Amino acid sequence: MKRSLAMAVVAVSTIAVFAGCAGKVGRTNYYTLNLPAPPDPPASENAHTSLAIREFTAPAYLRRGAIVYKTSPELVGFYAYHRWAIDPCDFLTDSIIDRLGATGTFSHVKRYNGQSDADYVVNGRLEKLEEIDYEGGVKVEVAVSAQMTKLDTGTMVWSKAVSEVGVVNQHDVPAVVSEMSHTMERAIEKLLTPVPGTLPAASTAAANRN
């Protein structure tokens, strides 16, 4: 009886130790990008063109939920305990809608719902959103592309792809995510300058690559 009791005490103690270790190791941190709010839109009495934005797509590895890092151009790594609280594609789509809506160029800008009640539709892709740990130092890279087509004809009237790199001064995940936010802001501004729909007629038919 005494031996059985001693073995039971040891077993309980062992479980407690493992439970304590699991509690320390298994804590997951969740992050979101943070961009400044766009300015209030100007009066748009002369805006008669409506725009719909499809949800941006991304490579499958960017939609796994984990924050991505690369130690070489070919090697993709995932932080086990640092994840996105919001799908970056959803965040990017909403940010594009907010910023295009704030320009006053369009009568309204909304998510595409599959209906043909908009004049133009934008399709976009988040190409890169990752920490870069090679070629010296720690950086982040954000790459975004988008195209605008006339909904009734399918004619492409605007296309652009941009890439921005930011330097991370402190190598921890919160600093990486903070720099991703700054770099995302610059990428969106570059993508939407000039505002789609205000390009000269001669240049809207051609793809714009920066």
Side-chain angles (χ1 to χ4, degrees), residues 15 32-33 54 69-70 78 112-113 127 169 176 197 207:
I15 292 171
T32 183
L33 295 165
R54 293 183 191 270
Y69 63 89
K70 284 186 173 181
F78 302 92
Y112 182 66
N113 58 8
E127 307 283 357
N169 295 318
V176 167

Side-chain angles (χ1 to χ4, degrees), residues 64-86:
R64 291 181 52 173
I67 294 175
V68 173
Y69 63 89
K70 284 186 173 181
T71 54
S72 76
E74 300 83 13
L75 185 60
V76 177
F78 302 92
Y79 282 108
Y81 299 109
H82 300 280
R83 301 179 63 82
W84 292 114
I86 300 173

Side-chain angles (χ1 to χ4, degrees), residues 164-188:
E164 286 288 310
V165 174
V167 177
V168 180
N169 295 318
Q170 180 179 343
H171 191 196
D172 58 45
V173 177
V176 167
V177 173
S178 178
E179 187 55 41
M180 282 180 173
S181 294
H182 298 318
T183 307
M184 175 72 80
E185 181 185 1
R186 295 197 306 272
I188 291 175

